[in-house]
Amino acid sequence: MKQKIFTVATVLFALMFINGGLNKFFNYIPVPPDMPAELVKVNTALMQIGWLMPLIAVVELIGGVLLLIPKYRALGAIIIFPIMIGILLIHATVAVSGLPLAIILAGILVWILWENRTKYLKLIE
């Protein structure tokens, strides 16, 4: 049962990042009109750096796809980790209303990392 819950959580997590990456390229999710002014400033600053958003989108897409493949799940989790840290920091400082979802996503990522810990131990042996 635990394995099924883990698989479902991982697939949903991966799909959220794939969706986020695709949205950065195609802008199909409308921006909410009540977005905090500070978050608008942050997003505008990120958009001013022309290469940054496409890089984040590619990392989200690659990490999300790798998370869907059990053999490469550990690599996908490592790739997504810095993006998740950024998401947590933005929601902890600027857009606090999204913090509960960010914490849940971070918890899923920590679970994925924990389940693959034996693969990471080989890196430091």
Side-chain angles (χ1 to χ4, degrees):
M1 184 66 173
K2 177 185 166 191
Q3 188 61 33
K4 288 180 184 179
I5 294 171
F6 175 73
T7 302
V8 168
T10 301
V11 167
L12 291 175
F13 181 84
L15 291 176
M16 287 188 74
F17 275 91
I18 291 169
N19 183 47
L22 289 173
N23 185 55
K24 285 176 183 58
F25 282 121
F26 301 115
N27 297 317
Y28 54 84
I29 299 174
V31 178
D34 60 340
M35 213 159 85
E38 284 294 315
L39 188 56
V40 171
K41 284 183 190 177
V42 170
N43 284 343
T44 304
L46 291 174
M47 295 292 237
Q48 292 293 323
I49 306 169
W51 55 268
L52 189 56
M53 287 307 262
L55 175 65
I56 293 170
V58 167
V59 169
E60 287 180 352
L61 285 170
I62 291 171
V65 169
L66 290 175
L67 283 169
L68 292 175
I69 305 167
K71 181 179 179 181
Y72 299 108
R73 190 168 286 154
L75 178 60
I78 290 292
I79 289 172
I80 291 290
F81 186 75
I83 303 294
M84 192 68 239
I85 295 298
I87 291 169
L88 276 173
L89 289 174
I90 287 291
H91 286 293
T93 59
V94 179
V96 182
S97 63
L99 189 58
L101 179 59
I103 290 172
I104 291 168
L105 289 175
I108 293 170
L109 181 59
V110 167
W111 189 14
I112 295 168
L113 290 167
W114 179 257
E115 290 293 323
N116 290 287
R117 66 189 177 276
T118 57
K119 294 179 182 177
Y120 303 129
L121 290 175
K122 294 176 185 178
L123 294 173
I124 57 174
E125 287 180 344

